[in-house]
Amino acid sequence: MNGRIIAAAALAIGILAPFTGIYTVFLMKALCFALFACAFNLLLGFAGLLSFGHAAFFGLAAYVTAHGVKEWGLTPELGILAGTAVAAVLGLGFGGLAIRRQGIYFAMITLALSQMVYFFCLQAPFTHGEDGIQAVPRGYLFGFIDLMQPMNMYYTVLAIFVFGFAVIHRAVHSPFGQVLKAIRDNEQRAISLGYRTERYKLAAFVLSAALAGMAGSTKALVFQLASLTDAHWHASGEVVLMTLLGGMGTIAGPAVGAFLVVAIQNYLAESGAWVTIIQGVIFIIVVLSFRRGILGEVVGFVAKRKATPAAKPLEPRPASAITGE
Amino acid sequence: MDDDIILETSGLTKEFKGFFAVHSVALRVRRGDIHALIGPNGAGKTTCFNLLTKFLAPTEGTIHYKGRDITRANPADIARMGLVRSFQISAVFPNLTALENVRVALQRKLGNSFQFWRSERSLLGLHERAEELLDSVGLADFRDVPAGELAYGRKRALEIATTLALDPEMLLLDEPMAGMAHGDVDRVAQLIRRVSANRTILMVEHNLSVVADLSDRITVLQRGEVLAEGTYAEISSNPEVIEAYMGSGHD
Ligand SMILES: Nc1ncnc2c1ncn2[C@@H]1O[C@H](COP(=O)(O)OP(=O)(O)O)[C@@H](O)[C@H]1O
Ligand SMILES: [Mg+2]
């Protein structure tokens, strides 16, 4: 399969990337946001739900992990698990309140709820307000892998990304994913087939929130910091941007978008306010010229070239034959 | 309640801000019949379907299906009870292939639809039945085409195949032949007759020759109210119906 080869190539790049001299912290940051964006896109791209509050899961999970490993001495894997679990529970709450709403109302409710989480993160005693939780120890993975070693940390992050991505990939290509796509395409029709669609959307929301949380937890270990930035609505907007840039119709598109956005922010970091403007311009160009996002256009182009000879057998056959007799 | 009656409404009413789209409708559909619901545009036929399948909540009145009061049930559960509808505007899943459209209907009874950790291969067992259904509506050659790319008539055919995949006890078809080419109308009529063998069908249809040909009973709606009910012979000789409906709209 073509997809297998591309996946293997991407994994090889991921494994070899640190040896190219690229700063590993950059790579790790990009991987965390890539997972965040892919998790977000499970909702937008495959359930048709635009959440504008995903920073709540990303940010709160980061706080939980940071607090857990720093104050309670949790091992890194337990810290990440705790953050992921809290994000899942929070997702159940958000989803339960928002899932009955459609379109813009859904987005607004998720935004409002995420603002509440933001103020909680600002006010709660354990989050240390504007300072955030600093000097979070990375600790020893499974008790013996020292994550202060950059390579160990990098491959841990890569493994987490691959795991999260595999979960999303499987979910999209599962019996559950089929129903989800049906709901995205035509919810009324899915209901008329007997599907209680709200339950499927809620399940997708929880899964998406949990994986977004896992990304936030991982980022907290990488930067040894949990801060308000990750819970801010800017982060919710950024993940929408990454997803649309990369392409929401594909599973990997948001990861491409995340790398692009993180790269722009990184390399233009000194330019201050210009980063936002350049980001905005790129966004406008991509949205206007590649409707399906960067990866979406590439996939569409390849599929079109393949389809031209293969489409022929579909043609002959009168526009009739409804009964087949 | 009469055992012969599969679906019965009494005093069924839907009000939209002072406007009665459906007013005090008493409908009785006999088990095994093909029952047609006809009437001019805006008569309230689609609204009636939405009420029966719970896509709208009635303002007043009750609905009984197989002797059970379903007035307050939700639409997914109605489908699970074997009362399945099609839509006036063709309803397919445009980004799924024709095969996947039918398969997603078959899939529900498998009971694995929440399993996000299982491979799609667990659905391979449904392909044979899905292909049979596609073949029965003449879509065998289109199994891997995204439904959104199918021509209009084929979308309608796919919708019928998807509905039949649920093997419903009772089918509600809202203008199944609307927008179809002449030859296709006959084929769908044949298909409807064939699948009606062991089920009940309530259908809205404008093509009166199809209605005459297929229906056991006919209910005529006008401005939200039942104007007449009976066999085609009774209906077509009813002066009120001729005056209100056939006299004007019919070709
Ligand atoms: N959601 C709605 N809100 C307000 N009016 C509606 C709504 N749905 C239908 N109607 C009105 O109810 C009447 C009956 O519509 P409908 O049931 O679609 O008729 P039919 O299917 O017989 O052509 C029409 O006048 C239509 O404008
Ligand atoms: Mg109608």
Side-chain angles (χ1 to χ4, degrees):
Chain A
M1 273 296 289
N2 240 335
R4 291 251 165 97
I5 295 168
I6 293 169
L11 184 62
I13 292 172
I15 289 169
L16 298 175
F19 300 104
T20 59
I22 304 176
Y23 197 34
T24 55
V25 174
F26 161 75
L27 290 172
M28 291 190 284
K29 182 178 178 187
L31 283 171
C32 290
F33 276 104
L35 178 57
F36 183 25
C38 289
F40 166 81
N41 188 46
L42 179 62
L43 270 190
L44 181 63
F46 298 97
L49 293 170
L50 172 59
S51 159
F52 210 81
H54 256 47
F57 311 120
F58 190 70
L60 189 67
Y63 276 112
V64 169
T65 301
H67 185 75
V69 299
K70 189 175 178 186
E71 305 295 335
W72 300 340
L74 294 183
T75 55
E77 67 278 9
L78 285 180
I80 291 174
L81 224 53
T84 307
V86 168
V89 172
L90 187 66
L92 191 64
F94 271 41
L97 290 168
I99 221 80
R100 278 161 204 274
R101 307 275 170 256
Q102 312 282 335
I104 193 73
Y105 298 103
F106 178 83
M108 280 166 62
I109 290 179
T110 51
L111 172 62
L113 291 169
S114 75
Q115 285 301 92
M116 288 167 61
V117 171
Y118 178 82
F119 285 112
F120 170 78
C121 292
L122 184 64
Q123 300 293 338
F126 80 97
T127 55
H128 305 290
E130 304 279 354
D131 297 336
I133 304 177
Q134 298 181 1
V136 175
R138 286 180 179 175
Y140 290 82
L141 186 67
F142 305 122
F144 69 94
I145 302 171
D146 181 7
L147 294 183
M148 285 312 286
Q149 297 293 327
M151 284 301 182
N152 289 349
M153 189 72 227
Y154 174 75
Y155 287 114
T156 302
V157 174
L158 183 65
I160 289 169
F161 172 80
V162 169
F163 169 78
F165 188 82
V167 169
I168 293 166
H169 186 274
R170 174 42 69 81
V172 167
H173 295 290
S174 69
F176 174 72
Q178 281 292 310
V179 178
L180 216 52
K181 284 183 254 183
I183 293 171
R184 171 199 65 191
D185 276 12
N186 191 336
E187 182 167 5
Q188 297 294 336
R189 181 54 171 159
I191 292 172
S192 80
L193 295 180
Y195 286 108
R196 294 164 178 143
T197 56
E198 282 165 7
R199 299 186 191 182
Y200 291 87
K201 292 197 285 186
L202 184 59
F205 199 96
V206 172
L207 194 58
S208 170
L211 291 170
M214 193 163 82
S217 292
T218 308
K219 182 172 177 269
L221 288 184
V222 170
F223 288 90
Q224 303 186 270
L225 171 73
S227 74
L228 286 169
T229 324
D230 292 335
H232 198 267
W233 65 267
H234 277 172
S236 293
E238 224 160 61
V239 79
V240 178
L241 180 86
M242 291 167 176
T243 302
L244 295 183
L245 272 183
M248 67 176 200
T250 58
I251 301 176
V256 172
F259 268 83
L260 191 68
V261 170
V262 173
I264 292 168
Q265 289 172 348
N266 236 47
Y267 291 109
L268 300 177
E270 317 85 67
S271 337
W274 284 100
V275 181
T276 326
I277 294 169
I278 292 168
Q279 218 170 279
V281 169
I282 291 179
F283 182 62
I284 291 167
I285 292 171
V286 169
V287 167
L288 290 181
S289 48
F290 317 117
R291 293 268 163 90
R292 292 177 284 192
I294 293 166
L295 196 63
E297 291 296 334
V298 172
V299 171
F301 179 74
V302 173
K304 214 167 161 188
R305 282 190 46 183
K306 264 203 253 167
T308 321
K312 281 228 172 96
L314 300 178
E315 285 311 326
R317 183 109 184 194
S320 52
I322 295 291
T323 57
E325 283 164 354
Chain B
M1 178 179 294
D2 204 320
D3 210 22
D4 249 335
I5 300 297
I6 188 167
L7 184 79
E8 178 168 26
T9 71
S10 75
L12 193 62
T13 299
K14 181 67 193 179
E15 184 194 332
F16 294 114
K17 293 177 186 141
F19 172 74
F20 288 88
V22 170
H23 196 195
S24 202
V25 165
L27 193 65
R28 285 160 68 88
V29 181
R30 278 194 324 220
R31 190 185 295 272
D33 270 3
I34 296 181
H35 192 126
L37 191 60
I38 65 173
N41 273 330
K45 304 177 299 290
T46 297
T47 306
C48 236
F49 269 30
N50 284 332
L51 292 170
L52 294 176
T53 50
K54 314 315 303 166
F55 279 78
L56 285 174
T59 314
E60 260 175 74
T62 57
I63 307 166
H64 286 263
Y65 172 65
K66 292 201 282 183
R68 284 172 62 180
D69 186 342
I70 59 162
T71 314
R72 269 167 242 311
N74 71 51
D77 291 340
I78 295 293
R80 286 160 176 260
M81 290 167 70
L83 176 57
V84 179
R85 70 175 299 179
S86 72
F87 290 82
Q88 181 171 355
I89 295 159
S90 105
V92 295
F93 304 115
N95 294 300
L96 303 186
T97 64
L99 181 90
E100 288 169 337
N101 265 266
V102 177
R103 193 180 67 182
V104 85
L106 292 170
Q107 184 189 324
R108 204 196 74 220
K109 286 181 183 151
L110 228 52
N112 68 354
S113 294
F114 276 106
Q115 297 179 356
F116 64 85
W117 57 90
R118 283 190 68 179
S119 161
E120 226 164 15
R121 279 194 294 271
S122 61
L123 300 173
L124 279 176
L126 301 174
H127 282 206
E128 198 182 317
R129 178 77 187 120
E131 280 162 5
E132 251 172 55
L133 284 159
L134 286 178
D135 198 34
S136 77
V137 295
L139 290 177
D141 291 345
F142 299 91
R143 56 164 276 171
D144 296 321
V145 178
E149 291 172 16
L150 293 173
Y152 185 79
R154 290 191 181 123
K155 276 188 193 145
R156 303 247 44 170
L158 178 59
E159 195 189 344
I160 293 173
T162 307
T163 306
L164 289 175
L166 297 177
D167 194 17
E169 210 172 327
M170 179 164 180
L171 267 169
L172 267 55
L173 303 173
D174 198 351
E175 303 196 25
M177 289 131 181
M180 276 192 183
H182 217 70
D184 290 335
V185 169
D186 292 341
R187 289 188 180 81
V188 175
Q190 274 180 44
L191 178 67
I192 289 174
R193 188 193 297 288
R194 208 172 64 208
V195 303
S196 74
N198 44 11
R199 38 189 136 237
T200 312
I201 295 179
L202 177 64
M203 61 187 262
V204 170
E205 187 48 57
H206 281 304
N207 186 327
L208 286 186
S209 66
V210 169
V211 169
D213 193 38
L214 286 178
S215 334
D216 300 297
R217 285 193 85 72
I218 299 167
T219 299
V220 185
L221 275 188
Q222 191 196 20
R223 292 194 207 104
E225 297 185 35
V226 175
L227 185 65
E229 197 194 313
T231 61
Y232 187 76
E234 289 162 6
I235 292 295
S236 56
S237 58
N238 182 320
E240 267 189 296
V241 175
I242 295 169
E243 162 75 26
Y245 182 69
M246 296 179 172
S248 57
H250 181 46
D251 50 85

